[in-house]
Amino acid sequence: MVKLFGTSSLWLVLVALLYAPAAAHAAVHQSHPFVGVTLYQIVRDHPRPQVINLADIDPDAPGIRFLVTPSNGDPNGDAPGDPNLETTRETTLQFITDQHAQLGINGSFFTFVKHTLNTNNISLVMSDGHRVSRASAHRGWIINLGADGRPQIRHVEPGEAAQPGSGLYNAIAGVGLLVQHGKNVAPTGTSFDDVHHPRTAVGITARGHLLLVTVDGRQPGFSEGMSLRELGKFFVAHGAVEALNLDGGGSTTMAIADPEPRIINFPSDPWSNGEPGRPRKVGVSLAVFAKANPNYVPLPQPRRPGAPKAQPAPDQLTILDDFESNAGHFASSPAASDSTHGLYVDPDASITHLERATAQTGEWSQKITLTADDSSKTHGLFVRYLSGHGQPNQNAMLGNSGWVGFFLKTRDPGLTVRIAMDDGVSSDSNHARGLEQSTARKVIADGQWHLYQWNLDDKHEWSKFGGGNGALQGPNTTIDSILFQAKPVKSRQRFTLYLDTVAYNPNGELNALTK
């Protein structure tokens, strides 16, 4: 077992991992952009495509120092009712450029505030010894870079930062302790923990080196992210004795000035053309200052797969399912999806079948019966009613603009409905970019047919669901499911609905179907 994990020995670990059977599909490249800084680029295709950037920093190297985003001077301080707009959001690239730093990553979790770039950061943030954001009782794990630059991962209590001798200098709170005493302790059991998200994290080696890591994600065929357990395993394998997860997802960014400032990872947020790579303005970043290495040779950027080609889609109003002869794309049980909860599963309780003489158009519709189970009394009812078994290649290929929707009829109040869309299929695989869900519509319980439709072009209609990123990226979409939801309801409470005329119109609304 390797005991020391300095820069040179870390490289030996990486080489060993590269040729180990479990990592046989990895490529590892290294460079030395600054004195005391070694940069690793790790490209893997097992267990899924992953692009990882790892910076190993020796805090004792000449010229190394750190800075966390300082306060924006919130004039109201901690006054009652104050929103605590502690920092001004900017990209990590903007931060290292403004500070003339050499390297940086995004840091803490933060809140978005409408109509402003000011933000409240979640739990402790310290910048050069000045407290920017108070510690939270529920998010006490932090990375602290002392006045001497030495890193430590520790737990803090609310108010501790204000105490003399706390040693807190440049500090950022995280969520999810990954490694402790050299062991993987990363949490599991929630979608935040277990879904393969983009990740940003920090670690410390046995020799006190700081590790900065970004894992790109939400980019099928290029880099598809990690769970927190996988991230903890990665840190242990690369010499960390302590590691902490920071804000990830669309925030994940690593920037470098070598010498011109640039972003060296691939953020998952999309540009206006739907392609990922747009850096997000974040509440806090961590900057690294270092001396340039005159012999530095930059690493080439990993090759990205070409943009998926648009597949044929309807060019006019099209009915996708009318239920006149069969269930069409909606042939799954309401309980088929693992996302469904609060549903009583019984052959006579939660079922679907075709119903004659009660149709929005034609003669047939689909009758859906949903029965709540005991857990729905506390957690409510949520049903992801799959289209094409939730598989893009079993659904009708649609465009990335226009309107999509369906008709419902019921007399049972208390439900809301959304539609979930798949962002499209790459030209060479059946991999989805992730699912996006629409805004909710209240289901009208008057026993009449009502149209529920959504605009694919309206970015305010969509939010992330099931690994999505909140944007319909195209170039194609498919219907993944219809989402029914009810607040806590009585056990065995039954909802009976009729579904008909599932449709898509690339040129406008579906209102013509009501005539």
Side-chain angles (χ1 to χ4, degrees), residues 155-173:
H155 192 274
V156 296
E157 300 296 332
E160 185 175 344
Q163 299 175 4
S166 68
L168 297 170
Y169 196 70
N170 279 300
I172 299 173

Side-chain angles (χ1 to χ4, degrees), residues 291-307:
K291 293 183 177 180
N293 173 14
N295 300 316
Y296 165 60
V297 178
L299 296 176
Q301 293 282 67
R303 286 188 60 185
R304 289 183 54 80

